[in-house]
Amino acid sequence: MAAAGDAFLRARGRALTAFRPVDEYQWKGPFYFIQGADPQFGLMKAWAVGDTNNGDDEWGEEIKLAEQAVQAVNKLNPKPKFFVLCGDLIHGMPGTPWRKDQEQDLKNVLKNTDQDIPLVFVSGNHDIGNTPTRETIDNYCKNWGDDYFSFWVGGVFFIVLNSQLYFDSSKCPELKQAQDVWLNEQLAVAEKHKCKHMIVFQHIPLFLRKPDEDHNYFNLEKSVRQEIMEKFHKAGPSSPESLLAEGRCHTGVSQGTFHTLGESVYPEAEPEVGLASNDGRKEERMGSQQSKRALRKKFPDSVLCQPACCTFPPSFPIVSLVPIPTNPPKMMCCLVPS
């Protein structure tokens, strides 16, 4: 078991120390993991007062929701392999006054996660800035571990990327170049080990619905996404099944969305979907029946709930997938066939 402080720094040397690759290269049967995104301590107050730049001086509600998430994760049996948070861990941007307190309060909640469930962190724009610098990335790494890294679990190859370097690397182009070189090396590793399944975690989605959709705040610019997708499509003769998991969008199915590198896992679902269960009861709010049916069809053995942290706007429930405790599916969030 790792000490509480070590739990936040398992990503070191571009690897995750929680798992030994030599023990994880081979497929060992179905398993599942937890994905969350955008706990963003401070957002709810900032949104409520209409000041997203300076109104984040309270985050009590986010603490309560995060505590509920950790409690729910700890009760799962069998245990998930890991718990990943896909960016925007806090709301305060680099250099803002409440940032350190938000980080500490989030750590105080997450340190109660079962120590047999490793925490995996992904950087978002609120963590390193919309235009990151070497300093903001270094500060992130001191608190949460490497900004990009890879690891194997049960024969599945997981890659964590720093998507802000694809969004705007103008102040640290050498770091973006280093990640590109590293990613090419990781795809060569996947080819060498004849990887069948590969899952990528990053904060900014490549796209929301279609690979050729127009660029907007919630996705990456077209030429950038095309370059990344081509890399994965050319990953090797073993043709691994690649899935992309993101955060950022806050509302609807894009919160914690999984894409194949061709179309959204939810191509038929509308963005305005909302199912929540904060207190053990299953509630249905603010979602079209079409969206709900689409999600149920994709994950018949799962329930939809709100383990995640903040909502955006505050009245809108975030969607995540959690297995029915008495009958866990093969995978939660992302199904990995044998």
Side-chain angles (χ1 to χ4, degrees):
M1 292 187 180
D6 296 337
F8 304 111
L9 298 172
R10 283 190 165 115
R12 285 294 185 223
R14 305 302 177 196
L16 193 70
T17 60
F19 303 103
R20 297 178 67 237
V22 67
D23 297 330
E24 301 291 343
Y25 285 137
Q26 300 300 316
W27 174 262
K28 299 178 182 178
F31 64 92
Y32 75 100
F33 61 89
I34 307 289
Q35 187 211 7
D38 302 75
Q40 209 157 333
F41 278 24
L43 174 62
M44 295 177 77
K45 168 69 181 302
W47 183 266
V49 301
D51 184 357
T52 56
N53 292 323
N54 302 297
D56 58 331
D57 58 342
E58 295 179 12
W59 48 91
E61 189 64 25
E62 289 94 320
I63 290 175
K64 292 178 183 178
L65 289 170
E67 288 174 340
Q68 291 173 13
V70 169
Q71 291 167 8
V73 168
N74 288 344
K75 291 178 182 178
L76 292 173
N77 184 26
K79 294 178 182 179
K81 286 289 188 178
F82 59 87
F83 180 11
V84 58
L85 285 172
C86 284
D88 280 2
L89 306 177
I90 58 172
H91 184 69
M93 287 283 196
T96 55
W98 307 108
R99 181 179 176 85
K100 289 185 178 180
D101 290 338
Q102 291 169 0
E103 286 181 331
Q104 188 56 57
D105 282 349
L106 178 58
K107 288 183 177 182
N108 288 341
V109 174
L110 293 177
K111 71 182 182 181
N112 295 314
T113 306
D114 188 319
Q115 292 188 8
D116 291 330
I117 304 173
L119 296 169
V120 179
F121 299 104
V122 181
S123 62
N125 57 304
H126 282 265
D127 305 311
I128 61 176
N130 287 315
T131 304
T133 66
R134 180 176 290 275
E135 180 182 8
T136 63
I137 292 175
D138 285 347
N139 287 337
Y140 170 87
C141 294
K142 290 175 183 176
N143 278 289
W144 306 103
D146 285 353
D147 57 323
Y148 59 91
F149 55 95
S150 65
F151 59 100
W152 290 81
V153 177
V156 180
F157 192 39
F158 294 89
I159 296 177
V160 173
L161 293 176
N162 180 346
S163 57
Q164 290 308 127
L165 294 176
Y166 296 123
F167 180 79
D168 184 357
S169 62
S170 59
K171 293 185 177 180
C172 54
E174 73 283 1
L175 299 185
K176 192 263 186 185
Q177 182 179 8
Q179 178 173 254
D180 286 341
V181 171
W182 174 87
L183 178 57
N184 291 336
E185 293 171 350
Q186 299 310 298
L187 296 178
V189 169
E191 179 182 356
K192 175 182 177 181
H193 290 279
K194 296 181 171 56
C195 170
K196 183 178 180 182
H197 304 293
M198 182 162 50
I199 297 178
V200 182
F201 297 121
Q202 63 184 57
H203 180 63
I204 305 177
L206 292 181
F207 56 90
L208 301 181
R209 288 291 177 268
K210 298 179 181 179
D212 60 350
E213 69 191 19
D214 291 338
H215 173 57
N216 60 52
Y217 174 78
F218 292 105
N219 61 20
L220 288 177
E221 197 273 331
K222 276 187 177 182
S223 62
V224 174
R225 86 176 73 131
Q226 186 63 36
E227 179 182 353
I228 296 172
M229 287 191 294
E230 286 179 359
K231 281 188 178 184
F232 283 100
H233 282 306
K234 296 176 180 178
S238 57
S239 299
E241 178 183 354
S242 301
L243 296 173
L244 182 71
E246 314 114 342
R248 190 173 179 87
C249 295
H250 292 263
T251 56
V253 294
S254 294
Q255 174 70 22
T257 295
F258 278 81
H259 292 125
T260 64
L261 294 184
E263 64 175 349
S264 170
V265 170
Y266 309 108
E268 71 273 44
E270 299 174 6
E272 299 81 11
V273 66
L275 295 177
S277 177
N278 286 333
D279 57 359
R281 295 179 299 106
K282 187 165 58 178
E283 300 177 20
E284 297 187 356
R285 293 182 283 170
M286 297 182 67
S288 72
Q289 290 302 314
Q290 179 186 1
S291 298
K292 295 170 189 174
R293 285 196 299 270
L295 288 165
R296 295 286 185 206
K297 181 179 178 181
K298 289 292 182 183
F299 298 95
D301 296 326
S302 297
V303 294
L304 298 172
C305 76
Q306 183 182 342
C309 317
C310 67
T311 59
F312 185 95
S315 62
F316 199 104
I318 292 173
V319 173
S320 259
L321 293 170
V322 176
I324 299 172
T326 56
N327 185 26
K330 287 186 176 182
M331 282 279 288
M332 179 186 47
C333 299
C334 177
L335 298 172
V336 177
S338 57

